């Protein structure tokens, strides 16, 4: 019979077992264990990016599969999300820490009707780490929120996130409203979220679809450089 008192000591696990255990702990929504494990991996000289992608994002991917298949339900997934956020909270200052001069500004928010924010937060963190100033509008944003933020902060980039097939069409509402107001071309519009793809991003009139946070950083840098070159050759 298994000894019920037998506790797993995270610090005694090797890296591979610890990462596996983190996937299990994320699945079980064990916030403190996730925090402890993130700190252990940092002490073992793992990069914040590797901890984020290999332990946390991969763990959340597994949660997503069982959520889809009806094995996990909303309350359980909320606990997983909280544990994930606790891990991200530790990593955030390390990812964001950069002496680099600001390379641009981005306003980002999850669209109206949608409360998923882990992916958006991650994108914000990686963009900050790459030297962008990020204005995060949070979740459930109607078009007015985006427009107000564009006017107030004058960013180069507008980023929108949607995780639901029912909310992703709202991105077109935002882009169409920008067109009506004659301001669409003043901004680079980037969109992302698990159900999106390149074709969808073109259909809603965005400049690019960003598969993940790393791609968002590359795309943002690339499109800003192109814009600068264009302005230089026009002027
Ligand atoms: Co929700 N949920 N959820 N959920 N949830 C999904 C999205 C779902 C695919 C699960 C499933 O069935 N397999 C499914 C959507 C199905 C569909 O639309 N076809 C779903 C559903 C159905 C729902 C509810 C309707 C469930 C219900 O109530 N019955 C409900 C909706 C609530 C609402 O929004 N109105 C709901 C609720 C929730 C929770 C609250 C429990 C929780 C969210 C907690 C939170 O975010 N604070 C939750 C979660 C956690 C998920 C899953 C499991 C994980 C999402 C996540 O955080 N992934 C998700 C399953 C899945 O996606 N496979 C699921 C990790 C994150 C790092 O990845 O968000 O993809 P992701 O972000 C990536 C990229 O997409 C990209 O970069 C990020 C980092 O690399 N990216 C961008 C994202 N946004 C970007 C913006 C950019 C650029 C790149 O701008 C430039």
């Amino acid at each position: 019979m298994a000894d019920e008192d037998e506790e797993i000591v995270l610090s005694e696990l090797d890296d591979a077992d610890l990462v596996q255990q983190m996937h299990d702990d994320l699945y079980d929504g064990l916030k403190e264990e996730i925090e402890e494990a993130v700190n252990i991996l940092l002490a073992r000289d793992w990069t914040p990016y590797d901890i984020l992608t290999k332990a946390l994002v991969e763990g959340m991917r597994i949660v997503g599969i069982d959520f889809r298949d009806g094995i996990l339900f909303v309350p359980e997934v909320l606990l997983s999300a909280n544990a994930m956020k606790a891990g991200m909270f530790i990593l955030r200052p390390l990812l964001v820490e950069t002496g680099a001069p600001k390379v641009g500004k981005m306003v980002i928010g999850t669209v109206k009707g949608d409360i998923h924010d882990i992916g958006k937060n991650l994108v914000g963190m990686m963009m900050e780490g790459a030297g962008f100033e990020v204005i995060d509008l949070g979740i459930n944003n109607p078009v007015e929120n985006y427009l107000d933020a564009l006017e107030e902060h004058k960013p180069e980039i507008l980023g929108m996130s949607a995780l639901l097939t029912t909310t992703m069409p709202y991105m077109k509402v935002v882009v169409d409203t920008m067109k009506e107001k004659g301001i669409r071309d003043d901004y680079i519009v980037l969109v992302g979220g698990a159900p999106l793809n390149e074709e969808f991003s073109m259909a809603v009139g965005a400049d690019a679809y960003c598969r993940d946070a790393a791609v968002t950083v590359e795309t943002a840098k690339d499109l800003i450089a192109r814009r600068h070159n264009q302005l230089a050759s026009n002027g």
Side-chain angles (χ1 to χ4, degrees), residues 88-126:
M88 284 166 67
F89 185 76
I90 298 172
L91 297 175
R92 185 172 189 276
L94 304 170
L95 281 165
V96 166
E97 181 171 280
T98 164
K102 290 285 169 249
V103 291
K105 214 189 263 188
M106 176 176 75
V107 160
I108 188 167
T110 303
V111 298
K112 187 175 168 185
D114 201 320
I115 63 166
H116 294 87
D117 67 354
I118 294 175
K120 166 188 68 62
N121 295 351
L122 221 153
V123 169
M125 277 161 54
M126 295 281 293

